[in-house]
Amino acid sequence: MKIVISSNTSKPIYEQITVQIKSMIMNGYLQAGDAIPSMRTLAKTLRVSVTTVKKSYEDLQRDGFIETTVGRGSFVSVINKDLVKEEQNKAMEDYIVKFIEIAKLNGESLEDIIDLVKAIYMEV
Amino acid sequence: MKIVISSNTSKPIYEQITVQIKSMIMNGYLQAGDAIPSMRTLAKTLRVSVTTVKKSYEDLQRDGFIETTVGRGSFVSVINKDLVKEEQNKAMEDYIVKFIEIAKLNGESLEDIIDLVKAIYMEV
Amino acid sequence: MKIVISSNTSKPIYEQITVQIKSMIMNGYLQAGDAIPSMRTLAKTLRVSVTTVKKSYEDLQRDGFIETTVGRGSFVSVINKDLVKEEQNKAMEDYIVKFIEIAKLNGESLEDIIDLVKAIYMEV
Amino acid sequence: MKIVISSNTSKPIYEQITVQIKSMIMNGYLQAGDAIPSMRTLAKTLRVSVTTVKKSYEDLQRDGFIETTVGRGSFVSVINKDLVKEEQNKAMEDYIVKFIEIAKLNGESLEDIIDLVKAIYMEV
DNA sequence: GTGGTCTAGACCACG
DNA sequence: GTGGTCTAGACCACG
């Protein structure tokens, strides 16, 4: 399992971990039932604090991607990937619609909006 | 006060009314204290049901744009337009960041995203 | 789920519904994730119009007590009851302070104020 | 014009000033057109800072009780006392109703509520 | 089945 | 006259 931590970004480390593990689950690299590294192992590998990894694993568990049992470790949950994708798409469209509605209300042109999108795309 | 209702759009009538009145307040065409048409008057003018106009006025009141009193009518509130704009900008950026994060997670390229933005821009 | 509509009160039907569902959530009778009746079902049971139930559900959703999805129905939200209680207490104290300030300004005695409180207590 | 500042209370000094001047206007001790002391004079008399008095006068002006003209001073406005009283009564009833509604929702008894009212009455 | 929008009225309290 | 509540439907998209 390869995770890359970047410090050039404003995104917190635990979110970088979360996002990359989510990706691996969603694209099938990690399958339901697969073990993922223990918090301590991953923390050592990435040279980050255990607390940071813990926060990421907690978020993943809360969102149903992994299950963590004291003494056993963490495992990929059985999830319906299509359902997750669908929910994400719906959420994404919600966000974009709200964003564009406000932008229009503020009198921003399509060009302004696209510039803004490009700028944010580079940042996040 | 000129409001245009379009049926070519999926945006509900009450939202079309809300957005247009908000715009008139934000761009200064309607000033604090100005009366806006009574629900019944506007309903007749626009040839829509009073209930539909009421829904719009309720939203405007809840968001602090107008004040409505039984027996008197509805009036533009004293609002800090800069503050409102700032809040909207913050909300807008929140939405765009979340949207792009999910889009990236879904593996969409900047081009895909811009196409999506253009499409939504035309619709809403 | 037992809701009682009274016509002896000036409180609108939709508020009576809202208050009773809020109570059931706050006192734990309804738990996070629990389904609440569909608008049509509740309307039939209470012999009121669907629109009236809808107004109540909209208020509950706006205040974060329930979540409503087209095609699925309405469900009790995950809320921090202690936080809600705290917020309510803060709001309550705000109201009572403002109320007593004005009462004092109007020269009302503590006895007058208590009588007023008793009267309102019986009504609402 | 006699104003008393107390430091036993949590009410800010400028509010103490505001409330007392409002009272004098509402009970007729100060009549429309009457001059009220200049900010500097009142500040000296009460041994408080001019800024404190200024804040009070600003609130009084915003609420229509006095008019302040640079170079001339401050004067009691022409106000409709009955209208003001009525508005205050309405506001007061609004506050008490909201307060009691929340208190009931929280399961507080009439006795609890009266105790709370007594406590707040002593404080403010 | 679910909720979301909308209609065309009614009756009410308040001004 | 004003807005507030309520009815008893309609039609829609979505599941």
Side-chain angles (χ1 to χ4, degrees):
Chain A
M1 201 176 83
K2 200 183 155 202
I3 289 179
V4 184
I5 300 300
S6 157
S7 49
N8 300 336
T9 168
S10 65
K11 202 196 280 290
I13 294 173
Y14 73 87
E15 272 197 34
Q16 297 185 39
I17 299 173
T18 308
V19 164
Q20 291 178 59
I21 296 182
K22 262 191 204 171
S23 286
M24 289 188 250
I25 296 173
M26 289 305 289
N27 70 25
Y29 178 77
L30 287 173
Q31 299 281 340
D34 285 0
I36 61 172
S38 80
M39 296 182 195
R40 270 168 184 74
T41 310
L42 187 57
K44 260 186 202 152
T45 316
L46 301 179
R47 286 179 238 260
V48 300
S49 113
V50 178
T51 332
T52 302
V53 177
K54 193 173 189 312
K55 177 131 185 54
S56 163
Y57 280 29
E58 277 171 2
D59 287 356
L60 287 164
Q61 181 163 32
R62 192 202 53 216
D63 293 349
F65 287 91
I66 66 171
E67 271 150 50
T68 286
T69 322
V70 181
R72 289 194 61 233
S74 299
F75 300 85
V76 176
S77 299
V78 179
I79 58 166
N80 185 332
K81 280 189 271 186
D82 290 337
L83 201 77
V84 172
K85 233 171 216 162
E86 212 181 283
E87 277 172 14
Q88 281 181 343
N89 282 332
K90 234 179 261 167
M92 184 180 73
E93 226 191 280
D94 257 29
Y95 289 134
I96 187 179
V97 165
K98 281 181 185 161
F99 149 57
I100 289 182
E101 277 180 353
I102 301 179
K104 274 191 157 180
L105 200 69
N106 287 357
E108 302 198 42
S109 70
L110 181 54
E111 285 69 40
D112 294 341
I113 294 178
I114 290 178
D115 286 348
L116 194 54
V117 166
K118 283 181 184 164
I120 307 270
Y121 186 86
M122 297 312 160
E123 272 178 42
V124 300
Chain B
M1 205 177 81
K2 204 184 151 202
I3 289 179
V4 183
I5 300 302
S6 157
S7 49
N8 300 337
T9 169
S10 65
K11 203 193 276 293
I13 296 174
Y14 72 86
E15 274 193 22
Q16 298 185 38
I17 298 172
T18 307
V19 165
Q20 292 179 57
I21 294 182
K22 261 190 205 171
S23 289
M24 288 189 251
I25 294 174
M26 287 306 288
N27 71 23
Y29 178 76
L30 285 175
Q31 301 280 343
D34 285 359
I36 62 172
S38 83
M39 296 178 185
R40 273 161 185 80
T41 306
L42 186 58
K44 262 187 200 151
T45 314
L46 301 179
R47 282 181 242 263
V48 300
S49 151
V50 175
T51 328
T52 300
V53 175
K54 191 177 190 324
K55 179 136 183 52
S56 163
Y57 279 30
E58 274 174 4
D59 289 353
L60 287 166
Q61 179 165 34
R62 202 198 43 225
D63 293 348
F65 287 91
I66 67 172
E67 269 151 51
T68 247
T69 320
V70 180
R72 291 194 61 234
S74 299
F75 300 84
V76 176
S77 297
V78 178
I79 58 168
N80 185 333
K81 280 188 271 185
D82 291 335
L83 200 78
V84 171
K85 242 173 212 160
E86 212 180 284
E87 277 170 16
Q88 281 180 341
N89 282 332
K90 237 179 257 168
M92 186 180 72
E93 226 190 281
D94 258 28
Y95 288 133
I96 188 178
V97 165
K98 282 181 183 162
F99 150 57
I100 288 180
E101 277 180 354
I102 301 178
K104 274 190 156 180
L105 200 70
N106 287 357
E108 302 199 43
S109 69
L110 181 54
E111 285 68 40
D112 293 342
I113 294 178
I114 289 178
D115 286 349
L116 192 54
V117 166
K118 281 181 185 163
I120 307 269
Y121 186 87
M122 297 310 159
E123 271 179 42
V124 301
Chain C
M1 203 177 82
K2 204 184 149 203
I3 288 178
V4 183
I5 300 301
S6 158
S7 49
N8 301 337
T9 168
S10 65
K11 204 194 275 292
I13 297 173
Y14 72 86
E15 274 193 21
Q16 298 185 39
I17 299 172
T18 306
V19 165
Q20 292 180 57
I21 294 182
K22 262 190 205 171
S23 289
M24 288 187 249
I25 295 174
M26 287 307 287
N27 71 23
Y29 178 78
L30 285 174
Q31 301 279 343
D34 284 0
I36 63 172
S38 83
M39 297 178 185
R40 273 162 186 78
T41 306
L42 187 57
K44 262 187 199 151
T45 313
L46 300 179
R47 282 180 243 263
V48 300
S49 151
V50 175
T51 328
T52 301
V53 176
K54 190 176 193 321
K55 179 134 182 52
S56 164
Y57 280 29
E58 274 173 3
D59 289 352
L60 288 165
Q61 179 164 35
R62 201 197 44 223
D63 293 348
F65 288 90
I66 67 172
E67 269 151 51
T68 248
T69 320
V70 180
R72 291 194 62 234
S74 297
F75 300 84
V76 176
S77 297
V78 178
I79 58 166
N80 185 332
K81 279 188 272 185
D82 291 335
L83 200 79
V84 171
K85 242 173 212 160
E86 212 180 285
E87 277 170 16
Q88 281 180 343
N89 282 333
K90 236 178 260 167
M92 187 180 72
E93 226 190 280
D94 257 29
Y95 288 134
I96 188 179
V97 166
K98 281 181 185 162
F99 150 56
I100 289 181
E101 277 181 354
I102 301 179
K104 275 190 156 180
L105 200 70
N106 287 358
E108 301 199 43
S109 71
L110 181 54
E111 286 68 40
D112 294 342
I113 293 178
I114 290 177
D115 286 348
L116 192 55
V117 166
K118 282 181 185 162
I120 307 268
Y121 185 86
M122 297 310 159
E123 271 179 43
V124 301
Chain D
M1 200 175 84
K2 200 182 153 204
I3 289 178
V4 182
I5 300 301
S6 158
S7 49
N8 300 338
T9 169
S10 65
K11 201 196 280 292
I13 295 174
Y14 74 87
E15 271 195 36
Q16 298 185 38
I17 299 173
T18 308
V19 164
Q20 292 179 56
I21 295 182
K22 263 191 204 172
S23 287
M24 289 188 250
I25 295 174
M26 288 306 288
N27 70 25
Y29 179 78
L30 286 174
Q31 300 281 342
D34 284 1
I36 61 173
S38 80
M39 297 182 194
R40 269 168 184 74
T41 308
L42 187 57
K44 261 186 201 152
T45 314
L46 300 178
R47 284 179 239 260
V48 300
S49 112
V50 177
T51 332
T52 303
V53 177
K54 191 174 190 315
K55 176 131 185 53
S56 163
Y57 279 30
E58 277 170 3
D59 288 355
L60 287 165
Q61 179 163 33
R62 191 201 54 215
D63 294 348
F65 287 90
I66 65 170
E67 272 151 50
T68 286
T69 322
V70 181
R72 287 194 61 231
S74 299
F75 300 85
V76 176
S77 299
V78 178
I79 58 166
N80 184 333
K81 279 189 270 186
D82 290 337
L83 201 78
V84 172
K85 234 171 216 162
E86 211 181 285
E87 277 172 14
Q88 281 181 341
N89 281 333
K90 235 179 260 166
M92 186 180 71
E93 226 192 279
D94 257 30
Y95 289 134
I96 188 179
V97 165
K98 281 181 184 160
F99 149 56
I100 290 182
E101 277 180 353
I102 300 178
K104 275 191 154 181
L105 201 69
N106 287 356
E108 301 197 44
S109 70
L110 181 54
E111 286 68 41
D112 295 342
I113 293 178
I114 289 177
D115 286 348
L116 193 56
V117 166
K118 283 181 185 162
I120 306 267
Y121 186 87
M122 296 311 160
E123 272 178 43
V124 300

